[in-house]
């Protein structure tokens, strides 16, 4: 056989049964990505004789005699193909993991196919962008601009890794070749609750290529949480690396380490495990009822489990005023119970990593993580290692959305590397991602609300039951956050919260974009609309009369555990005005029959710009010999745009251009500390550290230049890559040369402790059409207004908003992890889960409030997470406006809507 890849002949032959994707990656074509291995996502797209195919489902031998083109060979001689340039000009990517496949598909389209992009791109999924920027690329739209020295902040500058992303040379976790690599496969529990009596490893160890079988006897007998937070109090210690008790189907039982993945899989098949089956419980209400099977009955408040004897991980209760009396006296009241479902993060790069021990004896872990520094801390504690003997780092990360604020694989990688002394790899399959990592917390929320005749709220009450699954990672913080800003955004004298999060024998829940707020907002914002309807006032007006304004306390029961949240800026009023004006504009006419009902809906959200109780970041910047700068930060890049924004901050403070800022990031070996890229902290916290470091260096440059020119430091200013001191201009390269001659390094550090915190606001509006005969929904208009402070990068921030709305629409309309009566996930693959594709997502009009935050870096606020939050609530309100029916369960699938529609309209 001979294979022509990117115009070159290869004589290597694939293994029996090998797919084209893995074969191409073995040949070094790392631009071919693994997203699903089922032909569902398109990340592995290549061209065969000019036609796009999903290489994960094409047997490699079928490419014999055909011309294969990967993203690396789309343009000859390392150049840039017009479609690659179009993606650069439009910045049609965020994390970039889907981009290689997307570009190849787009480059293959003819003019007829371009007329129906929904059909043409149905085989390529993007979890980040919301697809508008991809459409811009196909239409030749340019979204980027330039910036002169010192003016970078506030401009739509391109991502620094863009050229590498579009050419397929940006390196993600597994885009490297390591000599002597062993592969790990996990044996997972087939039972929802069982005790392991014994594991017979004999047959597995005799399998060719198997080096080790690791089980609970081989792992540290120490409890921890997979959740990664700066403070340990936030999560229960209820997890072991490998446990002798399994608590959900899919939990790790044993790890087989072998020369190949196939050998490791065969080793797993040969393991014989004797289980003692234990009682199970899947429903959270049943789990907290008397007599329910105990899932962590041995855990106590010492392990930060509130009540292990009732399967309660955490709870919060409190009341301001007298809600019952206020409801009794209210002019109008509403009560309803709402339910939200499990949702998968569906980052296209699954969890996984590589680990090895280097010649210096340091454990190295290269992982797809949002939290390298906190993961290093956990590994050092688990394995009894000094922190400086552990290095954790990440290359570019293929999406996160909160799901990689966990330690799901790094502990196994470390264990295998330590036990075998060899480099090891563990890469989860898409099915494993569904059944063994984490999901959004399903919740049942009962809301009660009352208002007086003037439309002023008099009572708000939430009763929340959250399902954390088998382990309590993020259980308490998500619950507390869900009950916080959802009530705190409204002035109301009487508020009450009763909230519980329960263990069940199901796949664990965890951190997910929005961190509990989308679930409770679905209920609270419905109640606000229902009160407005009862009083005959508009949805906008009732919110204007009741939302907090600067000077108002932002309160939710049981009371303020943290008092460092302030109005660094306030743009909620502007957001309401912007959405109202945009929703009043005419929607393009579409031909709809009388079966379609049309309605409008809005919802708002407030979010603290930083998680509570400590979110830390260090930054360091130094002047290079060539007059450029080296900036070192700990925060990770996974489509959140931190690499772009940090360079903009530094370039602005140092009166230079972003191309002069060389960034090193997300590697514990660089020193310093960073809590992690979650809670939208990559800009607000880590950005403040970068600003402090850059401003400190700017001061040092002025002082050094004044000394070198024998002038007063007060007469020195920085401009255009130079220090100008009393009409003497000294370039940065000259300053670097002078400092070097004196044996002096010009560098500075900055830090941020994540406090004080500000608040950000978002308002979402929808116009929908609902078919009363079928339950089908069409989104006719989508409008979003965001208060992001001074917007660091308008193009990039717009993309974050669009991506957040798109992802949330998936959860609102389609996405649902289904658990059967035995506790098993029945749809652990994309084709049965329905991630939104190009055709599913409307184009959202995005507006920004005109504010400047006094607490954020250069006036900016966070905006990666909060656009997700009000979407389900706004769509639910639009459905109610269209149909007169309050639908209380998401997702809003047609078969879920139809019974109530049929009951009311009879069609």
């Amino acid at each position: 056989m001979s294979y022509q890849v990117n115009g070159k002949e290869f004589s290597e032959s694939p293994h029996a049964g090998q797919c084209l994707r893995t074969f191409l990656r073995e040949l070094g074509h790392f631009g071919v990505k693994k997203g699903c291995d089922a032909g569902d996502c398109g990340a592995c797209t290549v061209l065969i004789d000019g036609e796009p195919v999903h290489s994960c489902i094409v047997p490699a031998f079928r490419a014999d005699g055909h011309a294969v083109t990967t993203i690396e060979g789309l343009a000859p001689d390392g150049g840039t193909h017009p479609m690659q340039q179009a993606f650069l000009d439009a910045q049609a990517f965020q994390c970039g993991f889907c981009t290689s496949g997307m570009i190849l598909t787009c480059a293959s389209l003819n003019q007829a196919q371009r007329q129906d992009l929904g059909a043409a791109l149905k085989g390529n999924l993007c979890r980040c962008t919301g697809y508008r920027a991809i459409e811009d690329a196909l239409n030749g739209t340019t979204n980027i601009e330039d910036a002169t020295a010192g003016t970078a902040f506030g401009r739509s500058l391109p991502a620094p890794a863009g050229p590498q992303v579009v050419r397929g040379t940006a390196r993600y976790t597994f885009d490297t070749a390591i000599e002597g690599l062993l592969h790990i496969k996990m044996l997972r529990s087939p039972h929802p609750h069982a005790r392991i009596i014994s594991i017979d490893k004999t047959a597995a160890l005799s399998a060719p290529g198997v080096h080790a079988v690791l089980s609970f006897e081989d792992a540290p007998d120490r409890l921890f949480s997979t959740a990664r937070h700066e403070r340990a109090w936030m999560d229960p210690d209820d997890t072991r690396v490998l446990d002798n008790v399994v608590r959900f189907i899919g939990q790790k039982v044993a790890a087989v380490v072998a020369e190949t993945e196939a050998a490791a899989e065969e080793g797993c098949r040969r393991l014989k495990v004797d289980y003692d089956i234990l009682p199970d419980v899947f429903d959270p209400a049943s789990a907290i009822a008397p007599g329910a099977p105990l899932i962590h009955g041995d855990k106590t408040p010492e392990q930060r489990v509130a009540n292990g004897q009732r399967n309660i991980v955490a709870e919060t209760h409190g009341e301001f005023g007298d809600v019952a009396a206020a409801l009794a006296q209210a002019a109008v009241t509403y009560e309803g119970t709402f339910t939200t479902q499990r949702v998968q993060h569906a980052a296209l790069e699954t969890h996984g990593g590589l680990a090895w021990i280097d010649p210096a004896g340091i454990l190295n872990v290269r992982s797809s993580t949002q939290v390298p520094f906190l993961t290093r801390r956990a590994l050092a504690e688990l394995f009894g290692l000094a922190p400086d003997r552990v290095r954790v780092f990440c290359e570019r990360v293929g999406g996160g959305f909160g799901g990689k604020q966990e330690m799901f694989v790094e502990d196994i990688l470390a264990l295998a590397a330590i036990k075998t002394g060899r480099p090891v790899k563990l890469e989860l399959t898409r099915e494993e991602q569904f059944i063994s990592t984490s999901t959004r917390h399903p919740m049942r929320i009962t809301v009660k609300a009352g208002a007086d005749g003037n439309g002023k709220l008099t009572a708000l009450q939430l009763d929340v039951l959250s399902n954390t699954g088998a382990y309590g990672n993020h259980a308490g913080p998500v619950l507390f956050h869900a009950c916080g800003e959802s009530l705190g955004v409204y002035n109301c004298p009487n508020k009450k919260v009763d909230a519980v999060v329960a263990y069940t024998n199901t796949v664990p829940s965890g951190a997910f974009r929005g961190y509990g707020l989308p679930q409770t907002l679905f209920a609270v914002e419905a109640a606000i609309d229902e009160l407005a309807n009862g009083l005959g006032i508009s949805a906008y007006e009732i919110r204007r009369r009741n939302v907090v304004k600067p000077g108002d306390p932002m309160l939710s029961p049981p009371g303020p555990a943290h008092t460092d949240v302030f109005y660094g800026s306030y743009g909620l009023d502007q957001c309401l005005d912007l959405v109202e004006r945009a929703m009043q504009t005419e929607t393009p006419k579409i031909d709809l029959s009388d079966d379609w009902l049309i309605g409008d809906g809005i919802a708002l959200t407030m979010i603290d710009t930083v998680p509570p109780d400590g979110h830390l970041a260090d930054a360091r910047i130094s002047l290079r010999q060539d007059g450029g700068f080296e900036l070192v930060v700990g925060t990770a890049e996974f489509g959140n745009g931190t690499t772009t924004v940090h360079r903009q901050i530094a370039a602005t403070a140092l009166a230079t251009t972003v191309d002069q800022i060389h960034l090193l990031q997300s590697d514990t070996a660089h020193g310093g500390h960073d809590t992690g890229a979650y809670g939208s902290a990559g800009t607000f916290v880590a950005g403040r550290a970068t600003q402090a470091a850059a401003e400190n260096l700017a001061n040092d440059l002025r002082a050094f230049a004044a000394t070198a020119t024998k002038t007063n430091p007060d007469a020195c200013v920085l401009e255009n890559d130079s220090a100008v001191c009393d009409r003497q201009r000294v370039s940065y390269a000259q300053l670097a040369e002078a400092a070097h001659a004196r044996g002096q390094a010009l560098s500075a550090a900055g830090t941020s402790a994540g406090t004080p915190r500000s608040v950000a606001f978002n308002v979402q509006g929808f116009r929908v059409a609902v078919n009363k005969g079928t339950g089908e929904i069409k989104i006719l208009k989508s409008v979003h207004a965001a208060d992001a402070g001074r917007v660091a990068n308008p193009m990039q921030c717009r993309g974050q908003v669009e991506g957040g709305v798109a992802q949330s629409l998936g959860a609102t309309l389609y996405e649902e992890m289904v658990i059967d009566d035995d506790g098993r996930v029945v749809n652990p693959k994309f084709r049965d889960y329905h991630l939104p594709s190009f055709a599913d997502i409307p184009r959202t009009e995005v507006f920004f409030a005109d504010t400047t935050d006094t607490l954020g870096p250069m006036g900016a606020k966070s905006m990666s997470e909060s656009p997700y939050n009000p979407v389900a609530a706004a769509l639910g309100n639009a459905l109610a406006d269209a149909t007169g029916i309050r639908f209380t369960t998401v997702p809003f699938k047609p078969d879920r809507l139809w019974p109530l529609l049929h009951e009311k309209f009879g069609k």
Side-chain angles (χ1 to χ4, degrees):
M1 291 183 177
S2 65
Y3 293 85
Q4 186 188 93
V5 182
N6 299 332
K8 297 180 181 179
E9 297 289 336
F10 288 86
S11 59
E12 289 88 342
S13 294
H15 308 298
Q18 187 173 23
C19 73
L20 183 58
R21 179 190 66 80
T22 58
F23 181 54
L24 290 170
R25 287 184 63 84
E26 286 180 2
L27 295 177
H29 300 289
F30 293 128
V32 185
K33 303 301 185 194
K34 171 186 175 179
C36 65
D37 271 347
D40 296 333
C41 76
C44 67
T45 299
V46 300
L47 303 180
I48 297 182
D49 297 334
E51 292 296 319
V53 299
H54 291 171
S55 62
C56 69
I57 55 173
V58 174
F61 77 88
R62 291 193 179 277
D64 180 26
H66 297 276
V68 177
T69 304
T70 72
I71 190 67
E72 296 94 338
L74 185 59
D77 303 320
T80 303
H81 185 275
M83 188 57 68
Q84 291 170 318
Q85 188 61 51
F87 268 64
L88 277 176
D89 293 341
Q91 291 289 282
F93 56 87
Q94 287 180 24
C95 86
F97 201 79
C98 74
T99 305
S100 294
M102 191 74 73
I103 287 175
L104 286 165
T105 297
C106 290
S108 73
L109 300 180
N110 58 37
Q111 288 302 314
Q113 290 169 316
R114 285 180 176 232
Q115 302 310 304
D116 187 357
L117 292 177
L121 297 179
K122 66 181 180 181
N124 290 83
L125 298 177
C126 175
R127 190 56 157 168
C128 298
T129 66
Y131 298 102
R132 187 269 312 160
I134 294 169
E135 186 173 18
D136 282 354
L138 282 160
N139 291 334
T141 303
T142 296
N143 293 323
I144 56 176
E145 57 183 338
D146 296 322
T148 57
T151 67
F153 197 87
R155 306 297 293 272
S156 293
L157 301 187
Q164 291 77 40
V165 169
V166 302
R167 294 186 184 116
T169 57
R171 291 298 175 242
Y172 295 79
T173 307
F174 299 106
D175 296 342
T176 186
I178 297 179
E179 191 71 26
L181 186 68
L182 298 179
H183 299 264
I184 302 171
K185 283 293 182 180
M186 303 304 305
L187 179 71
R188 299 189 179 276
S189 172
H191 305 295
H193 201 192
R195 186 177 304 278
I196 297 172
I197 298 173
S198 65
I199 301 178
D200 185 349
K201 306 176 183 179
T202 308
L205 287 168
S206 68
V210 171
H211 283 248
V213 177
L214 306 172
S215 61
F216 66 88
E217 301 100 332
D218 307 292
D221 186 16
R222 180 169 180 170
L223 291 168
F224 68 102
S225 174
T226 62
R228 298 289 88 221
H229 282 112
E230 187 65 43
R231 310 295 183 202
W233 68 261
M234 294 187 177
D235 304 287
D237 287 337
D238 60 3
T239 304
R240 288 182 169 85
V241 177
L242 292 167
D243 206 331
N244 67 335
V245 176
V246 291
R247 297 177 173 89
F248 69 99
I249 294 174
Q251 182 171 326
K252 296 175 291 188
V253 171
V256 176
V257 189
E259 292 286 345
T260 65
E261 287 190 10
E265 289 172 347
E266 177 59 25
C268 287
R269 285 190 288 270
R270 294 190 183 193
L271 285 171
K272 296 179 180 178
V273 184
D274 188 9
Y275 295 97
D276 177 21
I277 307 302
L278 301 175
D280 50 48
V281 59
F282 307 127
D283 174 68
S286 301
I288 63 175
L294 299 183
I295 299 171
H296 290 276
D298 58 334
K299 310 299 191 308
T300 69
E302 184 178 351
Q303 288 85 38
R304 296 181 293 279
V305 174
N307 189 343
Q309 294 300 305
R310 288 194 57 204
N311 292 319
I312 294 175
V313 191
E315 56 187 324
T316 182
H317 306 276
E319 184 172 12
F320 301 148
D322 188 335
V323 168
L327 287 170
Q329 298 168 13
V332 60
T333 62
Y334 175 75
E335 178 178 350
T337 297
F338 296 75
T339 57
T340 64
Q341 81 283 31
R342 282 180 181 83
V343 178
Q344 234 293 321
H345 306 82
L348 289 190
E349 182 184 44
T350 61
H351 281 82
L354 304 158
W356 65 93
I357 298 173
D358 67 21
I362 294 174
L363 172 65
N364 291 261
V365 180
R366 172 173 168 155
S367 174
S368 182
T369 180
Q370 296 172 230
V371 283
F373 288 82
L374 297 187
T375 300
R376 177 184 65 172
R377 178 191 295 173
L379 292 176
E381 291 174 353
L382 274 173
F383 293 97
L385 301 170
D388 63 358
R389 309 303 291 172
V390 181
R391 176 197 180 201
V392 178
F393 68 103
C394 56
E395 301 291 339
R396 194 171 181 90
V397 175
F401 316 115
K404 293 171 183 175
Q405 191 195 337
E406 304 270 6
M407 191 173 73
F408 286 137
V409 297
E410 294 88 349
D411 52 347
I412 292 292
L413 284 161
L415 178 66
I418 291 169
K419 292 290 187 180
T420 65
R422 293 271 297 274
V424 293
K425 171 186 175 182
L426 173 58
E427 182 179 13
L428 298 192
T429 65
R430 182 55 58 184
E431 179 173 346
E432 286 179 304
Q433 193 77 18
F434 271 92
I435 70 170
S436 68
T437 59
S438 64
T439 74
R440 189 176 76 168
H441 285 77
M443 292 187 188
R444 185 196 70 196
I445 307 107
T446 297
V447 61
K448 297 180 182 179
D452 63 21
N454 295 318
K456 298 288 285 186
L457 292 173
T458 58
L460 278 175
Q461 178 176 339
L462 285 181
D463 188 313
V464 180
L465 179 59
S466 177
N467 183 353
T468 193
Y471 291 93
N473 41 303
H474 299 279
V478 166
L479 187 74
F480 306 149
H481 193 238
C483 299
E485 292 100 303
S486 60
L487 296 184
V489 72
Y490 288 109
N491 283 312
C492 180
N494 304 286
K495 295 179 181 179
K496 185 178 182 181
V497 167
D498 289 293
V500 170
V501 55
Y503 285 121
T504 62
N505 292 116
T506 58
V507 60
S509 304
F512 194 104
R513 196 175 198 171
Y515 215 67
L517 278 176
Q519 295 96 307
T520 49
L521 285 169
F522 178 43
V524 171
E525 291 295 292
I528 300 299
D529 257 35
E530 292 294 340
L531 295 179
N533 292 337
L535 293 166
I537 60 178
S538 78
Y540 298 95
E541 184 58 30
I542 193 169
R543 288 171 171 82
R544 290 191 179 102
R545 294 181 190 181
N546 290 284
V547 294
V548 293
K549 299 175 179 63
D552 293 335
M554 298 171 276
L555 297 177
S556 59
H562 308 283
T563 57
D564 63 336
V565 180
F566 301 96
Y567 295 96
S569 58
Y570 182 84
L572 178 54
D573 52 350
Q574 294 182 50
C575 290
L576 283 166
D577 292 345
L578 288 165
V579 169
E580 184 173 28
R581 284 197 295 269
M583 291 296 292
Q584 288 170 349
T585 62
E586 286 296 319
T587 304
K589 296 292 184 183
I590 60 171
D591 188 19
L592 295 175
S593 70
D594 292 340
D595 287 335
W596 292 89
L597 308 171
I598 296 176
D600 289 3
I602 66 163
L604 61 80
T605 182
M606 176 178 76
I607 191 169
D608 297 343
T609 55
V610 186
D613 196 25
H615 199 111
L616 313 177
D618 296 326
R620 188 175 72 255
I621 190 165
S622 56
L623 180 64
R624 297 172 15 146
Q625 287 301 112
D626 62 1
F629 298 89
E630 182 174 274
L631 173 62
V632 180
V633 298
T635 192
E637 173 65 61
F638 52 94
N640 51 348
T642 53
T643 53
T644 313
V645 170
H646 282 262
R647 296 203 320 165
Q648 290 179 266
I649 292 170
T652 301
L654 290 163
T656 186
T657 52
V658 291
D659 60 296
Q660 294 299 306
I661 307 295
H662 304 271
L663 188 65
L664 300 175
Q665 67 183 130
S666 56
D667 188 337
T668 62
H670 293 153
H673 178 74
D674 191 281
T675 296
Y678 65 86
S680 295
T683 293
F684 196 86
V685 180
R688 286 197 295 200
T690 290
Q691 182 180 359
E695 289 177 348
N696 289 339
L697 181 57
N699 291 333
D700 292 346
L701 291 176
R702 282 189 288 266
F704 185 83
T707 300
T709 58
K710 298 181 173 58
T711 56
N712 189 324
D714 294 337
C716 291
V717 296
L718 303 183
E719 63 178 37
N720 293 325
D721 296 299
S722 302
V724 180
C725 300
D726 196 19
R727 300 184 182 179
Q728 298 182 65
R729 179 177 294 273
V730 186
S731 72
Y732 289 159
Q734 290 171 319
L735 287 178
E737 183 179 359
H740 181 71
R742 298 182 186 189
Q744 184 176 347
L746 291 173
S747 65
T751 190
S752 173
T755 186
R757 301 179 286 156
S758 188
V759 283
F761 300 96
N762 300 74
V763 177
Q764 173 70 41
F766 284 115
R767 179 166 298 138
V768 303
V770 188
N771 190 302
K772 61 187 178 184
T774 65
E776 181 186 355
I777 297 172
K778 293 181 183 291
I779 298 177
L780 307 180
K781 193 177 190 67
S782 174
V783 176
H784 193 102
D787 173 20
R790 184 183 172 204
V791 180
N793 187 310
M795 169 201 62
Q796 183 173 279
C797 196
R798 176 188 176 191
Q800 290 294 320
V801 171
E802 292 170 332
V805 172
Q807 188 178 30
S808 195
L809 276 173
T812 303
L813 293 172
Y814 315 113
E815 299 178 41
E816 182 176 24
M817 285 179 63
V818 180
I819 310 288
D820 68 14
D821 292 340
D822 297 319
R824 188 181 310 275
V825 179
V826 301
N827 58 335
K829 49 185 178 291
F830 285 159
R831 68 182 56 190
D832 298 326
Y833 180 72
H834 193 163
L835 283 181
S837 65
F838 186 98
D840 295 320
I841 299 301
R843 300 300 168 255
T844 296
E845 300 173 56
V846 178
F847 302 92
F848 294 113
D850 183 11
T851 62
T852 298
D853 201 77
T854 59
L855 302 175
M858 296 188 173
K861 292 195 283 195
S862 55
M863 199 43 64
S864 290
E865 189 167 14
S866 56
Y868 184 103
N869 297 346
V871 169
L875 197 65
N877 286 339
L879 283 176
D881 184 52
T883 65
I885 301 169
R886 175 58 64 182
F887 296 97
T888 58
T889 300
V890 284
F892 295 132
K893 296 181 178 181
D895 61 322
R896 304 268 179 86
L897 305 187
W898 185 84
L900 289 179
L901 291 170
H902 181 71
E903 181 181 327
K904 181 172 183 177
F905 299 107
K907 293 188 70 175

